[in-house]
Amino acid sequence: MFLMLKLMDVHVYYGSIQALDGVSLEVPKGDIVTLLGANGAGKSTTLKAISRLVNIKRGTYELNGKTVNKQSPHSIVKKQVIHCPENRRVFPELTVEENLRVGAYIRKDNKLKQDLDRVLSYFPRLGERMDQFAGTLSGGEQQMLAIGRALMGDPKILLLDEPSLGLAPNLVREIFEIIKQINEEGISILLVEQNAHLALETAKYAYILENGKIELQGSTEELKENDQVRQLYLGA
Amino acid sequence: MEALLQITFGGLIFGSIYALAAIGIVMIYKTTDVVNFAHGEMAMITTFISFTFLQMVGLSFFVSFLLALIFAAIFGMTVYQAIIKRVQNAPPLNQIVVTLGLFLAFNGIAGLIWGYTPHGYPSALRGDSFQVGSVFMSPHQLFILGITLALMILFFILFKYTKIGLAMRATQQDMQTSSLMGIKVSQVFNLTWAAGAILGGVAGILTAPITYLEPSMMIDILIMGFAAAVFGGFVNLPGAVIGGLIVGVYSNWVSYYIGSELSVAFVFLLIVLVLYVKPTGLFGAKYVKKV
Ligand SMILES: Nc1ncnc2c1ncn2[C@@H]1O[C@H](COP(=O)(O)OP(=O)(O)OP(=O)(O)O)[C@@H](O)[C@H]1O
Ligand SMILES: [Mg+2]
């Protein structure tokens, strides 16, 4: 039932610029794993490598022990690894309902209605705005829609890129509660965050990325006590 | 008054053809970000192909029509795959040079194969004109209106209610996120070029009985189609349709009341005025596309 994701020594380039310089990480079954790091460290690029938006020049990417380096974004989505991108990226000129339908685009099973109900129970506000264009939603609502749309793809592993970006603190808390709930229902999560406090509270395991390299990793319990982490990321 | 009605009706007929040309252009631009100046010449080639089926092979009008549209679909995809795909992310100027080059190439190829002598092209519906109120109409004019209307409805349903239509709209708005949803965007691009070429081909086959069949038959249509697209804001399909009808009626008025040599000039004068007042076109909104 669970899917195991593993990156080993992954290198990614944008033209001649190196963005990832040998990233290795794992998302074990059913956990929340967080990926932290400064701006430009390569967090989003790591998620893009996983969803196959960028080319993996060197290294290995495995799902359940099978190498998927060269597969298309489509086939990664089919394997139920769903990427909820940075900055929400809802389709502005599609309605909320259509956005959710695009999220379920590749699915052929008949659990759609059930999943829609589930998404709307997480985010009742979306239910009241089904016919509204997504571009007219507030930032918070757009983030809810982006997560809901990803859930409509029926993920086994959900990749979340900065879900707290630009949201008011109480809304951030609300969204993180839901992220935990989603995880409790059996979905593994790889969470990219700027908000290290929150991420270390939420996740079980953390990786810290600097200049395209994993500098530090460990259980969040450990890292919260680590001096370097406290200084650089927790502002203590 | 009677003349005005007649001229307006005639304008709507031309406008329908401009609208068909314009939606193809806009659809392709919106989805693949390429302004296809070869659109009209691709339509002309499709029209010649239908003529070949019709005259040389001797098939019926509708069979030739359908075969030509299948050809158009394959033609559109091939042009996209073989040429356009490579310049899809190139600067606009490079793209313009490429599609203008295709324009010249297709025009020349058609001349080589079929020659430059105009051929008569039959209409699906023959028969005498008849009168409705004070307006004379021919069966072919009604055929143009009918086909245009049917295609509009078909495309409306396609975009609004089908899964592939949803994928096309999503891809138009955000290509990268669409592929994160599992949409095969390269398939969407192929399909868009196929559909665009079909729409152009229909415009060509409807035009040929009015003008003549010859390699330059679509040049005026292309210019007016572009005018219609600009009118509609270049991103908006219903806008392109209304733009086409406005351009058709207005240019027919100019032809009749002022002089036919001035109709294109007056159309562009109107466009300059519209863009002066509303830079995004009549129905365009500010539109920022994410790639
Ligand atoms: N499309 C691109 N073309 C060229 N360079 C890029 C591109 N996308 C990212 N980069 C570069 O790759 C590096 C890593 O970028 P990435 O977006 O992965 O960082 P990030 O950790 O997600 O940062 P942030 O916290 O600001 O979102 C940066 O130096 C960035 O400038
Ligand atoms: Mg990022």
Side-chain angles (χ1 to χ4, degrees):
Chain A
M1 138 129 211
F2 284 113
L3 196 60
M4 178 90 185
L5 184 153
K6 201 168 174 183
L7 297 182
M8 283 166 289
D9 193 34
V10 162
H11 291 66
V12 170
Y13 288 79
Y14 293 105
S16 60
I17 303 164
Q18 183 163 27
L20 296 186
D21 182 13
V23 168
S24 301
L25 62 77
E26 266 177 48
V27 181
K29 309 175 175 197
D31 283 354
I32 301 184
V33 172
T34 185
L35 182 60
L36 304 173
N39 289 115
K43 305 181 296 295
S44 299
T45 303
T46 306
L47 297 194
K48 285 179 186 168
I50 294 172
S51 52
R52 299 292 301 107
L53 283 183
V54 295
N55 196 30
I56 297 173
K57 185 149 183 196
R58 219 173 84 203
T60 316
Y61 165 21
E62 283 181 359
L63 287 174
N64 274 356
K66 204 167 153 263
T67 305
V68 293
N69 281 31
K70 297 275 180 242
Q71 299 210 353
S72 65
H74 170 84
S75 63
I76 298 298
V77 173
K78 279 228 136 149
K79 294 192 163 64
Q80 296 176 284
V81 177
I82 313 281
H83 181 171
C84 179
E86 194 172 11
N87 292 320
R88 300 146 200 161
R89 300 290 281 264
V90 295
F91 299 103
E93 292 178 42
L94 298 185
T95 64
V96 168
E97 195 211 339
E98 286 170 336
N99 268 274
L100 294 173
R101 268 174 34 214
V102 177
Y105 186 74
I106 46 121
R107 289 181 56 187
K108 298 208 160 58
D109 56 273
N110 44 21
K111 280 198 319 101
L112 279 187
K113 179 76 182 77
Q114 200 178 318
D115 283 353
L116 181 63
D117 290 343
R118 186 173 57 138
V119 166
L120 296 183
S121 73
Y122 286 142
F123 306 114
R125 263 190 269 181
L126 294 181
E128 298 155 20
R129 293 171 170 74
M130 290 297 263
D131 295 324
Q132 194 172 325
F133 281 123
T136 65
L137 296 176
S138 75
E141 289 158 358
Q142 289 190 9
Q143 186 61 63
M144 295 174 190
L145 178 57
I147 297 175
R149 183 181 62 181
L151 288 176
M152 291 304 290
D154 193 19
K156 284 185 172 160
I157 298 178
L158 181 60
L159 315 170
L160 289 173
D161 199 342
E162 300 201 35
S164 72
L165 194 74
L167 303 187
N170 58 336
L171 198 56
V172 172
R173 241 170 284 126
E174 195 182 311
I175 288 205
F176 271 72
E177 276 315 307
I178 288 166
I179 292 174
K180 278 188 228 165
Q181 257 175 283
I182 292 169
N183 174 247
E184 277 157 21
E185 296 202 4
I187 298 174
S188 315
I189 293 175
L190 177 55
L191 172 70
V192 162
E193 257 305 328
Q194 291 277 349
N195 187 334
H197 263 292
L198 201 57
L200 291 175
E201 285 306 320
T202 312
K204 201 163 168 184
Y205 200 87
Y207 292 88
I208 296 181
L209 201 58
E210 264 174 51
N211 295 323
K213 279 198 175 87
I214 303 282
E215 282 298 326
L216 210 58
Q217 68 180 75
S219 75
T220 48
E221 296 304 320
E222 268 165 47
L223 289 183
K224 273 187 277 189
E225 304 306 322
N226 182 301
D227 284 342
Q228 197 186 342
V229 173
R230 288 166 63 94
Q231 244 177 31
L232 287 173
Y233 297 99
L234 297 176
Chain B
M1 185 61 198
E2 279 173 18
L4 181 67
L5 276 179
Q6 186 69 49
I7 298 303
T8 305
F9 176 74
L12 283 176
I13 302 300
F14 281 115
S16 302
I17 293 175
Y18 303 155
L20 286 177
I23 350 180
I25 293 167
V26 170
M27 219 168 77
I28 283 174
Y29 173 70
K30 235 180 124 164
T31 311
T32 53
D33 267 327
V34 173
V35 178
N36 182 22
F37 287 103
H39 194 68
E41 303 314 278
M42 290 169 66
M44 172 272 294
I45 289 191
T46 300
T47 310
F48 266 111
I49 294 287
S50 74
F51 187 69
T52 307
F53 285 128
L54 197 64
Q55 297 297 70
M56 316 281 171
V57 188
L59 298 173
S60 75
F61 183 90
F62 283 100
V63 175
S64 313
F65 188 70
L66 282 180
L67 287 177
L69 295 190
I70 293 170
F71 166 84
I74 297 168
F75 187 30
M77 282 193 256
T78 309
V79 170
Y80 172 71
Q81 280 294 334
I83 297 156
I84 303 297
K85 202 171 156 181
R86 285 158 219 282
V87 292
Q88 203 170 348
N89 298 314
L93 201 60
N94 301 26
Q95 298 176 345
I96 289 172
V97 170
V98 167
T99 63
L100 277 177
L102 285 176
F103 169 99
L104 295 171
F106 291 148
N107 194 285
I109 290 169
L112 269 180
I113 302 178
W114 293 290
Y116 291 93
T117 342
H119 301 271
Y121 189 100
S123 165
L125 301 179
R126 271 164 260 206
D128 296 330
S129 293
F130 51 91
Q131 206 176 356
V132 176
S134 65
V135 179
F136 284 93
M137 18 188 110
S138 73
H140 181 65
Q141 287 178 318
L142 293 186
F143 183 65
I144 291 176
L145 278 183
I147 291 279
T148 306
L149 199 66
L151 280 173
M152 305 282 149
I153 293 170
L154 192 75
F155 272 79
F156 177 76
I157 292 172
L158 174 82
F159 276 112
K160 185 90 187 167
Y161 297 108
T162 69
K163 214 170 156 180
I164 186 68
L166 185 64
M168 289 171 94
R169 283 187 291 151
T171 305
Q172 285 165 1
Q173 290 169 40
D174 189 336
M175 188 190 108
Q176 201 177 54
T177 305
S178 296
S179 51
L180 289 183
M181 304 292 119
I183 294 171
K184 294 178 176 166
V185 294
S186 58
Q187 247 175 30
V188 170
F189 294 151
N190 276 331
L191 209 69
T192 303
W193 275 78
I198 287 178
L199 285 168
V202 173
I205 292 171
L206 294 178
T207 305
I210 306 178
T211 58
Y212 279 102
L213 177 62
E214 43 106 10
S216 300
M217 62 175 272
M218 290 306 280
I219 292 179
D220 287 352
I221 308 276
L222 182 77
I223 291 172
M224 295 302 211
F226 267 102
V230 172
F231 239 102
F234 230 102
V235 289
N236 179 317
L237 294 185
V241 173
I242 297 171
L245 296 177
I246 292 177
V247 167
V249 170
Y250 169 80
S251 65
N252 228 27
W253 285 348
V254 173
S255 294
Y256 184 78
Y257 292 106
I258 301 173
S260 60
E261 26 335 298
L262 285 178
S263 72
V264 172
F266 269 70
V267 165
F268 280 84
L269 198 64
L270 184 66
I271 285 177
V272 170
L273 277 176
V274 167
L275 292 184
Y276 183 75
V277 178
K278 193 164 182 295
T280 51
L282 269 194
F283 308 97
K286 259 211 168 53
Y287 189 83
V288 184
K289 179 163 172 155
K290 293 179 190 145
V291 283

